[in-house]
Structures are given as structure tokens and as C-alpha cells.
Amino acid sequence: MKIALSSEGNLLEDNLDMRFGRAKVFIIYDLDNNEYEYIDNDQNVNAVQGAGIQSAQCVVDKGAEAVITGYCGPKAYKVLEAAEVKVYTSDKDSIANTIKKFKNDELSEQEKDV
């Protein structure tokens, strides 16, 4: 299973970015083999509009089955929901610790935002 985490940097020691659409980087972590890649999100950091939708489509295209972030806005949530990607929220912590929390079922699934 692949999960996508909004991140402030491209290392597991970096912190979770509390923004989804305008996150600096996405870490795509494969839980099956404990490998990861990162995707720069530069095109959306300063986007005038549509950052969340484009970011959501990016992680869907990478095969993520879950997203972990501080908050996912309603438009991005809709894209993820349509692709059957679950959205989980977490407090600011390192990516590594956030992954541990996910594995231990300690994160809450984000409620649908209307």
C-alpha cells in the first residue's frame, strides 16, 4: 500500500506540512517494502487557484491509497474521494513518526468537508 504525506522536505526526518495543496513536497511511502520517493510540489506552492485539485490528482496518479496531512480542503478532498483515496489528519511531527502513527492506527480519518 502506498501512502502520500504532505511534507516540508524530502526526507523522513522532515516535518509533515500542515497544508495539503500547497505542501512543499509529497512523500510517497510504500508500506510493503518501506521505500519512498518524493515529489516536488513547486507548481502548486504559489498557484493562484487549483492547488489542492492539482496536488490531489498528482498523488492519485502516483498510486496512493491514503493521504496524510494536517488539513485537506474540500475541492482536493472531492478528487481524492472520487479516486477512493482515504484522507487522514495528523499533528505536526516528523514524516517517520507520522508513518509509525499510521501503522499503529493512531490517526483519524478526515471528515468530509462541505
Side-chain angles (χ1 to χ4, degrees):
M1 173 183 192
K2 288 184 180 179
I3 58 174
L5 301 99
S6 57
S7 179
E8 293 179 350
N10 57 6
L11 301 173
L12 298 181
E13 294 76 29
D14 289 317
N15 283 327
L16 187 72
D17 195 321
M18 301 313 291
R19 307 162 299 171
F20 175 73
R22 297 186 190 279
K24 183 177 177 187
V25 171
F26 290 106
I27 300 281
I28 308 297
Y29 191 89
D30 190 327
L31 294 169
D32 297 327
N33 60 20
N34 295 317
E35 294 178 356
Y36 74 96
E37 65 177 309
Y38 69 91
I39 305 163
D40 285 320
N41 194 34
D42 293 336
Q43 75 277 9
N44 291 318
V45 170
N46 296 313
V48 176
Q49 61 184 7
I53 293 169
Q54 291 179 66
S55 294
Q57 192 58 57
C58 176
V59 299
V60 167
D61 291 346
K62 285 293 184 177
E65 296 177 51
V67 164
I68 304 171
T69 189
Y71 173 75
C72 180
K75 292 177 183 176
Y77 187 93
K78 223 177 205 178
V79 171
L80 295 168
E81 182 182 44
E84 299 181 356
V85 175
K86 293 188 177 193
V87 179
Y88 295 87
T89 57
S90 179
D91 294 328
K92 194 168 195 166
D93 201 347
S94 73
I95 295 298
N97 284 340
T98 303
I99 292 168
K100 285 179 192 172
K101 289 177 186 175
F102 181 79
K103 287 179 177 179
N104 293 331
D105 202 26
E106 297 173 13
L107 300 179
S108 299
E109 195 169 340
Q110 181 174 315
E111 300 279 329
K112 185 172 184 172
D113 211 357
V114 272

